[in-house]
Amino acid sequence: MVRVAVVRFPGSNCDEDARRGAEQSGAQAYFVWHRDTSLQGADLVVLPGGFSYGDYLRSGAIARFSPIMQAVQAHAAAGGGVVGICNGFQILCEAHLLPGALMRNAGLTFVSKPVDVMVERTDTVFTWAFDRKTPVRLPVAHGEGRFVADAETLARLEGEGQVVLRYLKSSPTTEGNPNGSSNDIAGICNAAGSIVGIMPHPERVVDPRLGSADGLLFMRSLAGVRALSGAAR
Amino acid sequence: MTYRVHVRVMPRAGLLDPQGQAVEHALSALGFAETRTVHVGRAVEIEVDAKSRDEAEARARLMCDRLLANPVTEDYQVEVEAD
């Protein structure tokens, strides 16, 4: 059974959603505290959403120095799967596990609404359960989700297929890119697909009774991470 | 010796600065028609123990590189108060 560690920082939210989503998809999912130093044999780590450390200084800037992040860095360096959702994505950028940065939304306001995104890359630890590029509707809830990177990094992300999720500009109902993100990027990964950061919250929509189950395949990807790492090796 | 260091972190020129734009609009609305551009950043004051001003500045720059500024989106200036 795949072991999924969900890291809790002071100010995390949707951590329980992520844990339950992974568990319901068949993983053995559990919490680790930001002061812990061990991931307890995790196959995959989830950095959940929220406002770790009150977003002081910059979103994710302080969480990066939590004791648990040393274990996450080591896990990532060894090829282990790491997924960051929303604040987790911000932390991954601050920790230099993913390139670029997430800045204040272009419209300045906190945006909380469903958005239509395209799953563009399906051979990652967070998307391998999708068998092809697929449009999904997921909620976003962030004030700092505008992805920026220098031109060279953006070209590399596009050229190497490291854009995992992209806001659908043409969406008639959700008005496309909600934050002014470069190239409409909603999520990226490292070259191997083992580290993924996305702004939308699939863990919030895993049951039709909650309005949508579009997030289910992300959770199933978490639970089946071994299938990918097995194939990659 | 204790030195007082002033760090100024600003959004990198050329990147969209919606906060600066919002303040710019507000100033114009207040009647400050002379306002051309506004950028909003952050100021950090640090008291550091160091053997010299140069050392205090060097350490503060390291603090900026490692934490206080995001190298992707921000630039910083460091000033050490006179002894």
Side-chain angles (χ1 to χ4, degrees):
Chain A
M1 193 182 276
V2 175
R3 286 175 63 77
V4 175
V6 179
V7 179
R8 277 182 151 161
F9 298 96
S12 286
N13 66 29
C14 299
D15 41 349
E16 182 62 42
D17 306 63
R19 195 199 62 77
R20 282 177 67 103
E23 188 177 78
Q24 284 168 2
S25 298
Q28 190 176 15
Y30 54 93
F31 293 120
V32 293
W33 182 232
H34 72 119
R35 287 214 178 107
D36 292 344
T37 51
S38 164
L39 293 167
Q40 300 166 37
D43 299 298
L44 191 137
V45 181
V46 176
L47 305 182
F51 305 86
S52 55
Y53 301 90
D55 275 353
Y56 290 168
L57 197 63
R58 295 179 306 275
S59 307
I62 310 284
R64 173 191 160 200
F65 296 98
S66 284
I68 195 67
M69 285 305 292
Q70 285 202 11
V72 174
Q73 289 272 9
H75 174 79
V82 183
V83 165
I85 303 169
C86 199
N87 189 222
F89 185 10
Q90 295 163 341
I91 295 169
L92 288 176
C93 289
E94 284 284 344
H96 308 307
L97 285 170
L98 289 174
L102 293 145
M103 297 186 76
R104 185 72 67 95
N105 293 346
L108 273 182
T109 55
F110 190 96
V111 178
S112 179
K113 65 176 188 180
V115 296
D116 287 335
V117 292
M118 180 65 81
V119 179
E120 293 206 348
R121 179 162 167 176
T122 57
D123 60 335
T124 80
V125 291
F126 206 19
T127 56
W128 78 268
F130 291 89
D131 60 1
R132 67 178 81 87
K133 288 188 180 185
T134 309
V136 290
R137 180 166 297 177
L138 302 173
V140 289
H142 59 250
E144 297 179 348
R146 175 167 51 106
F147 182 78
V148 296
D150 58 49
E152 191 185 321
T153 303
L154 276 178
R156 198 183 68 237
L157 289 172
E158 296 287 355
E160 305 288 320
Q162 287 175 244
V163 177
V164 178
L165 285 190
R166 201 187 303 269
Y167 301 113
L168 280 172
K169 249 201 188 103
S170 56
S171 167
T173 46
T174 64
E175 298 162 352
N177 184 339
N179 52 35
S181 200
S182 303
N183 297 14
D184 302 319
I185 288 172
I188 59 170
C189 64
N190 63 343
S194 60
I195 306 175
V196 179
I198 67 172
M199 285 315 292
H201 284 277
E203 78 284 12
R204 287 190 185 177
V205 281
V206 295
D207 188 321
R209 286 172 295 181
L210 296 173
S212 165
D214 274 12
L216 211 50
L217 288 179
F218 293 89
M219 296 298 117
R220 289 193 184 146
S221 300
L222 287 185
V225 61
R226 264 186 202 171
L228 174 74
S229 52
R233 276 169 203 149
Chain B
M1 183 82 193
T2 301
Y3 294 88
R4 185 182 284 267
V5 183
H6 298 271
V7 174
R8 207 172 71 121
V9 183
M10 298 299 291
R12 179 153 305 149
L15 285 179
L16 178 66
D17 175 17
Q19 209 177 179
Q21 284 178 355
V23 174
E24 182 183 320
H25 293 150
L27 286 173
S28 299
L30 265 177
F32 292 102
E34 68 272 36
T35 309
R36 302 290 290 180
T37 60
V38 179
H39 291 290
V40 177
R42 124 176 29 95
V44 184
E45 283 188 14
I46 315 165
E47 284 186 1
V48 296
D49 290 330
K51 292 194 189 73
S52 67
R53 268 186 77 164
D54 285 351
E55 186 191 298
E57 180 177 333
R59 295 295 289 174
R61 288 191 174 278
L62 200 56
M63 293 175 196
C64 289
D65 291 335
R66 301 255 349 252
L67 175 65
L68 301 178
N70 184 327
V72 180
T73 58
E74 296 172 323
D75 294 310
Y76 63 82
Q77 290 180 339
V78 171
E79 263 180 56
V80 183
E81 265 186 27
D83 303 5

